[in-house]
Amino acid sequence: MQNKTFRNLFMLPYALWIIIFVIAPILLVVYFSFFDINGNFSLTNYKNFFTATYLQMTLNSFWYAFLITVISLLIAYPTAYILTRTKHKQLWLLLIIVPSWINLLLKAYAFIGIFGTHGAANRFLEWAGIGSRQLLFTDFSFVFVAVYIFIPFMILPIFNALDKLNPSLLYAASDLGASKWTTFRRVIFPLTLDGVKSGCQVVFIPALSLFMLTRLIAGNRVITLGTAIEQQFLVTQNWGMGATIAVFLIIIMVGFMALTSIRRRGV
Amino acid sequence: MAKKPIIQFNHVMKQFDDDAPVLDHVSFEIEKGKFYTLLGPSGCGKTTILRLIAGFTEATSGDILFEGKKINHVPANKRPINTVFQDYALFPHLNVYENVAFGLRIKKVKKADMDAKVKEALSFVNLKGYENREIAGMSGGQKQRVAIARAIVNEPAIILLDEPLSALDLKLRYQMQYELRELQRRLGITFIFVTHDQEEALAMSDEIFVLNKGKIQQSGTPNDIYDEPINRFVADFIGESNIIRATMIKDFLVEFAGKQFECVDQGMDPNEAVEIVIRPEDMEITSVEQGSILVTVQAQLFRGVHYEITCMDDAQNTWLVQSTKKVNIGEKIGLRFTPEDIHVMRLNESEEDFDRRLDAYGEDENNAK
C-alpha cells in the first residue's frame, strides 16, 4: 500500500509536467481554433482551411518535408553504413553530430553568407567557369540547408541500428549464397528499418513545420504550414486561424507517427 | 586412399598483423561423406579453419582445395558449403519457412519445389508444421534445428557446424548428438564439426583432428586418439588420464614409479625418457599384495556412475582411478593394470614419426604371426 503511494508521489512531477506543457497547450490550441478573428465562436477557420490557398500550403509543406526527408535518408544511410565500418566510429560519429550543437540561427546566417551573390558558393561557380547565379532564396538552397541541418538526426538512429546488427547474420546470408546487394536488400535493410523509421520521424515532423529557414534562406518564396502559423500569430494577429493550422499540423504528425511505428518484430 | 579428398589444406597459414599465427602450416585432407570433428581448447584455431573453409576469411599463405581446385579466393556465397552458426544466426525478421527458404530463394527455385524442399528439411529436423512460427518465440533447441534445416535444404557438399550444441542444456545436447549423427548418416553429406567438448567429439565423429596452438596435434578415429594419444596434450585433453614420467628401458619394457613394467610399445631408443598414459578406468583396485603398484588414497568423489579416487604412490606420482568400489581415505591399496593398458608416448614426437613407428611395428607383429 505504502509502495503505491510512494510511486504516485514520484509520478506527480511528471504528470504535472505533461499536463501543463503537453496536454494543456494542445487543448488551448484546439480551443482557440474555434474563434474567428473577432473573437466569436465559429467554424469559419476550418472552412477557410479547406480553400485552395491553405490546401496548396499543406501540399507544399508535405512536398518539401518529403524532399528533405528522402534526401537526408539517401545521404545518411550510406554515411551511417560506412561509419559502422570505420575504426574510430564513435569519433567520426561525434564529428558529424557536433554541428547540430550550433545554434540554428547561426547556421542559417552562415549559409546566407555562403549562398549570397558574392558568397563562397558563387565564387566557386565562377572559378569553375559555370558563372555566378542566384542561389539564395531558391528552393534549392532551402532544401540544401534543411537537409544539412537534419542529417545528424537521420544518421544517429540508422547508425545505432546498423551497429546493433549481429555480424553473424551477414555471414549467414553470404553463406547461403547471397551477394552483397542481396544481403543488403534481404537482411541489412529490413533489420535496420526501425532506425530508418525513427530517422524519418525526427526529420519529417520538424521539417513539416519549418518556418525560420523559409524566410532566411528561401526568402518567403516557400510558404509552408509553419510559416503560415507564424504569420497568422505574429503578423495578421489571427490566433484562431493560426491555431486551426496548428491543429491540422498536429493531426498530420500523429498520422505520420502512427504510419511509421507499425509493429516491430523481435531483435 | 583412392578417394579424392573433398577439402584439402596445404600448409595453410593464418596470421593477424604480427601476432603469433592462428594457424601454423596446417595440412590435412577431408574425405567425402564422413563426419569430421575439429577438437581443441578455445583459441586453438579450430574456428579459423571453419571460417577458411566457409570463405569468411582468407589464408595468409598456403592453398585450400575443394575437389582438387584451389578456392582461396572464391567468396563464401559461391561455395557449395553451408554453415550452422554457434549463435544460429537465424534472420529475426523472417519466419521459419523464410529462414529455411533463404538460400533457395537466392537460387530462384520454383515455388512448388521450394515448398517441398522446405517441408522435407523441416521434417528431417523434426520440426514439421513449424513453417509459420516466428524465430523470436522459439526455444534454443528449436532454433538449432531451424539452423540445421536452413543448411541442409541447399544440399551442400559440406556442412560446417561451429559449436552448435554449446548453448543447449545437457540433456538436449545428448539428444542432438544422436540426431546430428543420424542425420549425417542419412544425408551422406560431409560434416565438419567444431567443438571443445571431447566427449561430443568421441561420440559423433568418424575422424577427429585434435588442435592446439594453431597446429594439428593428432588426427584419427576416436578409438585411435583415445587409446593411442600422441603426446601429453592429446592424452590430457581427450578424457581423463594419468600421465607419468617414465624411462623406456628397451622394447616392451618401461620403468616408472620405481618399478619396471611390461608394455606393448616399441621403437624407442634404449633408456629414452618418455611419458606413459594409463586411463583411470583401466585400473583395478586390488589388495596391496596383488597390485602392480602401491598407492595411498588421498581423496574420493562420488560421480554417480563410479567413484573417482585420487591416490599417490611412493614416488609422489598422483593417480586418478575410476572404480565402482568404495575405498577409505588414507588406506593403502594396490592398483592393477595389464601391459595393454600402458601407452608410451615419446616427447615431442611429430604425427608423421608417430604413424611411421606404429606402422613399422604393426608389420613386425604381422610377421611374427
Side-chain angles (χ1 to χ4, degrees), chain B residues 189-221:
Chain B
I189 298 175
T190 313
F191 273 42
I192 305 179
F193 185 91
V194 158
T195 183
H196 59 262
D197 183 337
Q198 41 95 12
E199 260 181 65
E200 212 162 85
L202 292 173
M204 297 168 76
S205 323
D206 288 317
E207 198 139 338
I208 301 177
F209 293 104
V210 184
L211 284 127
N212 190 33
K213 293 180 182 159
K215 282 188 172 160
I216 293 180
Q217 303 290 322
Q218 189 172 9
S219 57
T221 65

Side-chain angles (χ1 to χ4, degrees), chain B residues 133-175:
Chain B
R133 291 280 197 98
E134 295 295 331
I135 298 303
M138 301 188 100
S139 70
Q142 289 170 333
K143 285 183 191 171
Q144 177 68 76
R145 287 158 203 261
V146 176
I148 293 166
R150 188 175 69 174
I152 62 174
V153 78
N154 302 297
E155 293 159 18
I158 303 173
I159 289 185
L160 308 173
L161 302 107
D162 186 6
E163 307 211 21
L165 307 183
S166 60
L168 304 179
D169 62 60
L170 191 67
K171 202 134 197 205
L172 194 55
R173 197 152 72 215
Y174 279 146
Q175 191 190 333

Side-chain angles (χ1 to χ4, degrees), chain B residues 61-292:
Chain B
S61 66
D63 290 343
I64 300 166
L65 287 84
F66 175 80
E67 289 176 340
K69 283 192 289 282
K70 191 172 159 180
I71 54 160
N72 283 38
H73 305 297
V74 176
N77 58 336
K78 298 269 188 280
R79 299 188 187 190
I81 296 168
N82 286 119
T83 308
V84 176
F85 292 84
Q86 188 170 11
D87 61 355
Y88 319 135
L90 297 175
F91 303 117
H93 59 301
L94 302 176
N95 65 15
V96 170
Y97 180 95
E98 287 301 326
N99 262 285
V100 177
F102 194 90
L104 300 176
R105 281 201 191 281
I106 285 160
K107 280 187 235 149
K108 302 215 159 48
V109 174
K110 278 199 211 94
K111 177 80 180 139
D113 292 348
M114 187 154 69
D115 283 347
K117 281 186 175 184
V118 170
K119 212 170 169 188
E120 193 194 351
L122 284 176
S123 75
F124 258 125
V125 294
N126 298 326
L127 278 183
K128 239 183 225 166
Y130 279 68
E131 281 90 342
N132 295 318
R133 291 280 197 98
E134 295 295 331
I135 298 303
M138 301 188 100
S139 70
Q142 289 170 333
K143 285 183 191 171
Q144 177 68 76
R145 287 158 203 261
V146 176
I148 293 166
R150 188 175 69 174
I152 62 174
V153 78
N154 302 297
E155 293 159 18
I158 303 173
I159 289 185
L160 308 173
L161 302 107
D162 186 6
E163 307 211 21
L165 307 183
S166 60
L168 304 179
D169 62 60
L170 191 67
K171 202 134 197 205
L172 194 55
R173 197 152 72 215
Y174 279 146
Q175 191 190 333
M176 287 303 289
Q177 286 175 8
Y178 277 106
E179 284 186 25
L180 270 181
R181 180 72 243 221
E182 179 57 30
L183 192 67
Q184 191 272 334
R185 286 214 177 100
R186 265 193 294 166
L187 296 172
I189 298 175
T190 313
F191 273 42
I192 305 179
F193 185 91
V194 158
T195 183
H196 59 262
D197 183 337
Q198 41 95 12
E199 260 181 65
E200 212 162 85
L202 292 173
M204 297 168 76
S205 323
D206 288 317
E207 198 139 338
I208 301 177
F209 293 104
V210 184
L211 284 127
N212 190 33
K213 293 180 182 159
K215 282 188 172 160
I216 293 180
Q217 303 290 322
Q218 189 172 9
S219 57
T221 65
N223 279 325
D224 286 349
I225 287 186
Y226 191 81
D227 293 338
E228 283 162 359
I230 182 171
N231 58 25
R232 187 180 193 101
F233 173 80
V234 176
D236 204 26
F237 196 74
I238 311 282
E240 302 284 349
S241 50
N242 294 297
I243 305 170
I244 309 288
R245 287 187 177 285
T247 311
M248 199 71 189
I249 305 297
K250 57 179 191 187
D251 283 356
F252 310 118
L253 194 65
V254 65
E255 182 185 305
F256 57 89
K259 278 171 89 175
Q260 293 189 350
F261 297 93
E262 228 182 280
C263 69
V264 292
D265 292 273
Q266 57 168 312
M268 290 84 165
D269 302 329
N271 295 318
E272 185 182 331
V274 292
E275 285 176 321
I276 62 112
V277 182
I278 303 178
R279 297 287 182 187
E281 70 273 16
D282 288 340
M283 285 187 290
E284 198 188 335
I285 294 176
T286 60
S287 61
V288 176
E289 297 79 43
Q290 287 183 320
S292 311

